[in-house]
Amino acid sequence: SIHGPLLSEFRAALQFLLDVCRPESLRVLSCDSAIAKDGGDVTYYPDDEIGEGFHGGGGTDFRPVFAEIDKQDEPPCCAIYLTDLQGHFPSEPPQYPVLWVVKDEMGTRQEAPFGVTIYVED
């Protein structure tokens, strides 16, 4: 359910995080019902350029992203999920903070079942 212009906005937001916050690394997972096979798991570092290869669509399932993160030896300091919030959530929240950045094009003002939900406007 995330396409064209909204993917571009999310890409710009990730570039801003990388450029301004300068995290040690920024791992980007592109997921609909599963993590995309081609370019769906990319790690960026300060001074990298965020690529254009995001995959959007419908049938969103948030669970594969959290399952993939759980495979890491150490949890991330946080997860930032850029989404329209229309999808299936894990039954249990992760042990790290989650920020849901929502472009609420349908005007529902839905809240995620865990973490902090914020809305971006045009």
Side-chain angles (χ1 to χ4, degrees):
S1 51
I2 303 289
H3 299 282
L6 190 50
L7 282 175
S8 294
E9 286 182 44
F10 284 169
R11 182 196 159 282
L14 292 172
Q15 190 66 57
F16 178 82
L17 285 172
L18 195 61
D19 292 345
V20 174
C21 298
R22 301 191 62 79
E24 182 178 309
S25 64
L26 177 68
R27 185 177 182 195
V28 177
L29 299 169
S30 297
C31 183
D32 286 328
S33 59
I35 295 172
K37 298 287 185 209
D38 184 26
D41 186 351
V42 181
T43 301
Y44 296 97
Y45 301 93
D47 300 320
D48 282 350
E49 185 75 23
I50 301 288
E52 298 281 337
F54 294 133
H55 305 276
T60 304
D61 189 341
F62 302 115
R63 296 170 294 190
V65 168
F66 292 102
E68 181 63 28
I69 292 171
D70 286 345
K71 292 178 185 176
Q72 294 180 184
D73 290 335
E74 293 184 35
C77 64
C78 69
I80 302 171
Y81 217 122
L82 306 172
T83 180
D84 64 1
L85 216 54
Q86 303 301 309
H88 301 285
F89 295 89
S91 57
E92 297 292 324
Q95 297 298 309
Y96 46 86
V98 178
L99 176 64
W100 301 90
V101 179
V102 180
K103 182 73 172 201
D104 190 21
E105 294 181 321
M106 298 190 318
T108 62
R109 287 294 196 226
Q110 177 183 349
E111 293 285 325
F114 57 84
V116 175
T117 305
I118 63 170
Y119 293 91
V120 293
E121 305 293 334
D122 288 331

